[in-house]
Amino acid sequence: GEDVEQSLFLSVREGDSSVINCTYTDSSSTYLYWYKQEPGAGLQLLTYIFSNMDMKQDQRLTVLLNKKDKHLSLRIADTQTGDSAIYFCAFLVSGNTPLVFGKGTRLSVIA
Amino acid sequence: GAGVSQSPSNKVTEKGKDVELRCDPISGHTALYWYRQRLGQGLEFLIYFQGNSAPDKSGLPSDRFSAERTGESVSTLTIQRTQQEDSAVYLCASSPPSYEQFFGPGTRLTVL
């Protein structure tokens, strides 16, 4: 099965870019996701990328996928205090099956 | 429109008691998932329902855990004889026939 690793903490200054990284072991994932979890809230889907893509940009968010190194990253440009949350990468092998999640990276934004 | 809802939002129970957690998925979503999130951990898959197929129970940690779903609507996750290690946030998600899962706010279960 999939094994997913994320660094637990990241601290950045407001206005800087944040890069959250994720490594995985199973190369059969078809969709790769980034979710955001704010305190006391459920998970919010931020963005996702198909496994046949290398990059996806959506406003301040950029997802990079390096299939050779099995590395997924999320870059947040111009990080704001409202971006403080826990960010999870997640993987899907085929439609309507359970997602496999990393343990999450807690992003703290310093004003 | 309404998202996935879960009740109760918080549940405190004594060790050994049974608890029932409820999930109301988004109308029309054929798939429904239960996940567990322990403190400081990622989400662990518990069980999922897809239409009228038999549920995939491969993630349930013990036979004290069970879940039911009525058609393509409400689901109930039951934990019998709760233990302290069952303390976690239980998250429900639903999905149309696509690759996006929509999550509810979760039920925080505390077993004393």
Side-chain angles (χ1 to χ4, degrees):
Chain A
E2 184 72 90
D3 190 21
V4 182
E5 296 287 335
Q6 288 184 247
S7 52
L8 295 182
F9 300 99
L10 177 65
S11 181
V12 299
R13 293 195 178 278
E14 190 175 18
D16 288 351
S17 292
S18 309
V19 179
I20 302 170
N21 295 301
C22 184
T23 58
Y24 59 97
T25 56
D26 188 343
S27 57
S28 61
S29 297
T30 54
Y31 290 79
L32 302 94
Y33 302 82
W34 284 102
Y35 281 87
K36 177 184 181 182
Q37 186 180 40
E38 295 180 272
L43 272 72
Q44 173 195 355
L45 178 64
L46 287 179
T47 186
Y48 63 90
I49 190 169
F50 302 132
S51 60
N52 61 358
M53 297 168 64
D54 297 324
M55 185 183 86
K56 180 180 180 182
Q57 185 152 4
D58 183 1
Q59 300 182 338
R60 292 192 297 123
L61 305 178
T62 303
V63 179
L64 294 177
L65 175 61
N66 182 328
K67 290 183 283 293
K68 175 176 172 289
D69 294 338
K70 296 180 184 175
H71 183 264
L72 179 72
S73 68
L74 174 69
R75 179 176 180 271
I76 305 173
D78 187 24
T79 313
Q80 303 298 307
T81 54
D83 295 325
S84 293
I86 301 175
Y87 291 80
F88 294 92
C89 57
F91 299 84
L92 180 72
V93 174
S94 61
N96 285 151
T97 57
L99 297 175
V100 177
F101 284 83
K103 288 186 168 56
T105 298
R106 182 179 295 276
L107 174 66
S108 297
V109 182
I110 306 164
Chain B
V4 178
S5 61
Q6 292 186 246
S7 60
S9 54
N10 280 285
K11 176 72 177 177
V12 180
T13 191
E14 292 180 348
K15 179 180 171 182
K17 301 277 191 185
D18 297 352
V19 295
E20 279 191 357
L21 312 180
R22 178 185 167 111
C23 173
D24 284 89
I26 295 172
S27 177
H29 282 194
T30 55
L32 186 147
Y33 309 80
W34 284 99
Y35 294 88
R36 176 171 72 176
Q37 184 180 23
R38 289 174 159 156
L39 187 64
Q41 300 293 313
L43 275 69
E44 303 169 70
F45 159 68
L46 296 177
I47 186 171
Y48 93 97
F49 300 86
Q50 173 59 57
N52 294 320
S53 303
D56 179 345
K57 304 179 183 180
S58 60
L60 294 179
S62 79
D63 59 8
R64 296 186 295 105
F65 287 72
S66 63
E68 291 184 348
R69 186 181 187 194
T70 308
E72 292 189 350
S73 62
V74 171
S75 176
T76 303
L77 177 69
T78 302
I79 309 173
Q80 295 178 306
R81 304 181 302 281
T82 50
Q83 304 295 310
Q84 288 183 330
E85 63 261 28
D86 299 334
S87 295
V89 176
Y90 289 82
L91 288 157
C92 173
S94 70
S95 175
S98 76
Y99 298 99
E100 185 169 352
Q101 295 184 17
F102 296 80
F103 282 82
T107 293
R108 181 176 298 278
L109 175 65
T110 304
V111 182
L112 302 176

